[in-house]
Amino acid sequence: MKTLNFDTIAIREGYQTTAEQEHSEAIFMTSSFVFDSAEQAAKRFSKEEPGNIYARFTNPTVGAFERKLAALEGAQACVATSSGMAAIFATLMALLKSGDHIVASRDMFGTTTVMLNSIVAKFNIDISYVDLSDLSAWESSINDKTKLFLLETPSNPLGQVVDITALSKISKAHDILLAVDNCILTPALQNPIALGADIVIHSATKYIDGQGRCLAGAVLGTEDIMEQVHGFVRATGPSLSAFNAWIVLKGLDTLSLRMKAHSDNAMKLATWLEQQESIEKTHYLGLESHPHHQLAKSQQSGFGGIVSFEVKGGRKAAFKLINATEIFSITANLGDTKSTITHPFSTTHGRLTDEEKSMTNISEGLVRLSIGLEDVNDLIADINKGL
Ligand SMILES: *Cc1c(COP(=O)(O)O)cnc(C)c1O
């Protein structure tokens, strides 16, 4: 290009025209892809020839993340999104229409409930709420417009669990899609599709990245369902960026090691908490005292990193304990290498009415921990300071 002028050289020189490196972890930081010819462009757009067109549709780095996560979840296909909320919204908007009805667990991530009540409901989609583990409540909420069941298991912060296999028998018998937000356990500890779920949703922001670096999300299921979800993402734009896809792709490499370490630390800390006199109750699925311990054991391969407990003395005692910690980060985030501590009543669940709080058993003395990968003895000593 030596005979060209400066501005042309500045823009056109230096590129290596390699084939797209689908098997490497190259980050394709590009908005669009260039075609060899007008004929190839036409074929790509008409889907006669598969390949990348524009990063809102597909990107090789994003594709690598989608294929790896699909393999880990045992799903036919995966659509990555810019966040976990985008994954939930894309699922609902792609698969539902005005007049449909869904049944949702009462005990979900706060913003999910806000999205259902303040946005999804505006589109004339009816929502019934049920107790997560109450199979007969799910079944009796079904009407002839019911299209989807939406839930998280285990729930956060109390670790309620539903029998996914039993619930999937109910959903299948009524031609209803079962969608499970698997963010708290990840495919390293639970595979909802193998248990009968149709759709798995992730906030990859949490354990899949695992190091608090970016937002990302994903939806997984059959080719047919994912084509509809992809159509929504392609047409409305909550696509995952190549850079963030690379971060969560690298996160998947160490996911199972990290989930095991989070679970081991959480088990040790919960066991210690349960022995403390100033603690009323400890909620951790790994403890035999948890009412859903046996069910969790039968469908999960670990109990995860979320532990919560009620201190004697209500909000005052809870705040004192939280403020006395020096290692734990006081934040509502979870799924990080760093341990975090939060008071659900006044933060994550603060928007619920008092009645809703008591229905979900969020008391003023409840403290939630997301157990990170620090030495557990240091974490125990840190909690002990405020007891
Ligand atoms: C954080 C979270 C979400 C939302 O994910 P973002 O990536 O923050 O949008 C959804 N579900 C669960 C269970 C979560 O913990």
Side-chain angles (χ1 to χ4, degrees):
M1 291 197 182
K2 297 247 160 30
T3 58
L4 297 170
N5 291 309
F6 182 91
D7 284 353
T8 307
I9 294 169
I11 288 167
R12 290 283 174 175
E13 191 54 74
Y15 287 100
Q16 287 184 330
T17 48
T18 58
E20 286 167 2
Q21 301 156 52
E22 296 274 354
H23 295 287
S24 81
E25 286 158 352
I27 310 177
F28 288 83
M29 293 297 287
T30 184
S31 53
S32 57
F33 300 86
V34 173
F35 309 108
D36 294 337
S37 64
E39 287 78 7
Q40 189 188 41
K43 281 185 185 161
R44 290 267 176 101
F45 274 84
S46 70
K47 292 187 180 164
E48 201 179 310
E49 177 188 303
N52 297 296
I53 297 175
Y54 190 60
R56 179 159 32 75
F57 313 172
T58 59
N59 173 290
T61 319
V62 175
F65 169 66
E66 290 170 334
R67 283 191 299 277
K68 195 189 279 198
L69 186 57
L72 294 173
E73 282 287 8
Q76 284 177 9
C78 172
V79 176
T81 57
S82 56
S83 70
M85 292 324 298
I88 297 170
F89 192 59
T91 304
L92 300 178
M93 289 294 110
L95 302 175
L96 301 175
K97 61 177 188 323
S98 172
D100 285 346
H101 169 249
I102 70 172
V103 187
S105 164
R106 221 188 293 283
D107 218 353
M108 280 190 300
F109 183 65
T111 310
T112 305
T113 311
V114 171
M115 178 205 286
L116 292 176
N117 294 341
S118 66
I119 299 170
V120 175
K122 280 203 304 194
F123 297 95
N124 189 31
I125 290 163
D126 223 19
I127 303 141
S128 303
Y129 290 99
V130 296
D131 282 347
L132 175 65
S133 26
D134 186 348
L135 291 169
S136 63
W138 287 94
E139 183 149 38
S140 63
S141 296
I142 296 171
N143 64 40
D144 56 3
K145 303 223 162 64
T146 311
K147 292 284 152 56
L148 188 110
F149 284 174
L150 180 65
L151 62 93
E152 282 163 33
T153 182
S155 70
N156 161 31
L158 298 178
Q160 302 292 301
V161 172
V162 68
D163 183 336
I164 298 176
T165 306
L167 187 61
S168 78
K169 285 185 183 138
I170 298 171
S171 62
K172 283 189 172 71
H174 294 87
D175 236 341
I176 292 166
L177 293 170
L178 174 57
V180 176
D181 181 334
N182 199 29
C183 154
I184 297 293
L185 290 180
T186 82
L189 301 182
Q190 175 170 268
N191 280 118
I193 289 174
L195 296 167
D198 301 291
I199 297 164
V200 168
I201 299 174
H202 276 288
S203 167
T205 312
K206 309 291 168 53
Y207 291 105
I208 291 180
D209 167 30
Q211 295 168 67
R213 298 170 293 192
C214 71
L215 296 185
V219 189
L220 300 106
T222 61
E223 297 275 3
D224 180 46
I225 295 173
M226 287 311 108
E227 202 177 305
Q228 297 175 64
V229 174
H230 187 249
F232 176 84
V233 170
R234 173 177 168 149
T236 63
S239 319
L240 182 59
S241 82
F243 188 76
N244 290 355
W246 177 76
I247 292 175
V248 289
L249 180 64
K250 295 306 290 172
L252 288 176
D253 288 0
T254 55
L255 182 67
S256 82
L257 283 172
R258 287 185 288 105
M259 292 313 291
K260 189 174 179 320
H262 283 292
S263 304
D264 288 350
N265 267 0
M267 188 66 205
K268 286 183 188 136
L269 198 123
T271 304
W272 176 82
L273 282 169
E274 206 173 34
Q275 291 157 2
Q276 305 311 303
E277 250 179 33
S278 45
I279 290 174
E280 190 91 55
K281 197 162 179 39
T282 304
H283 307 271
Y284 184 62
L285 277 168
L287 297 174
E288 279 177 24
S289 60
H290 195 292
H292 294 162
H293 173 72
Q294 285 304 333
L295 177 54
K297 226 168 129 176
S298 73
Q299 69 181 12
Q300 305 173 190
S301 54
F303 302 109
I306 307 296
V307 176
S308 65
F309 58 96
E310 282 156 52
V311 283
K312 291 179 183 161
R315 179 192 292 238
K316 208 167 151 234
F319 274 31
K320 180 179 158 240
L321 182 141
I322 292 169
N323 290 333
T325 60
E326 290 172 281
I327 297 173
F328 281 84
S329 310
I330 306 176
T331 169
N333 191 34
L334 59 87
D336 200 317
T337 48
K338 299 182 179 72
S339 294
T340 68
I341 189 165
T342 194
H343 182 244
F345 191 94
S346 60
T347 61
T348 53
H349 293 66
R351 279 170 296 190
L352 301 184
T353 63
D354 286 351
E355 196 195 336
E356 286 169 331
K357 279 176 191 155
S358 77
M359 266 192 319
T360 46
N361 292 314
I362 306 295
S363 72
E364 295 228 42
L366 187 73
V367 174
R368 186 198 74 192
L369 308 174
S370 165
I371 302 302
L373 303 182
E374 303 95 336
D375 188 303
V376 70
N377 295 311
D378 292 331
L379 298 177
I380 289 173
D382 207 38
I383 295 292
N384 200 29
K385 283 178 195 142
L387 284 185

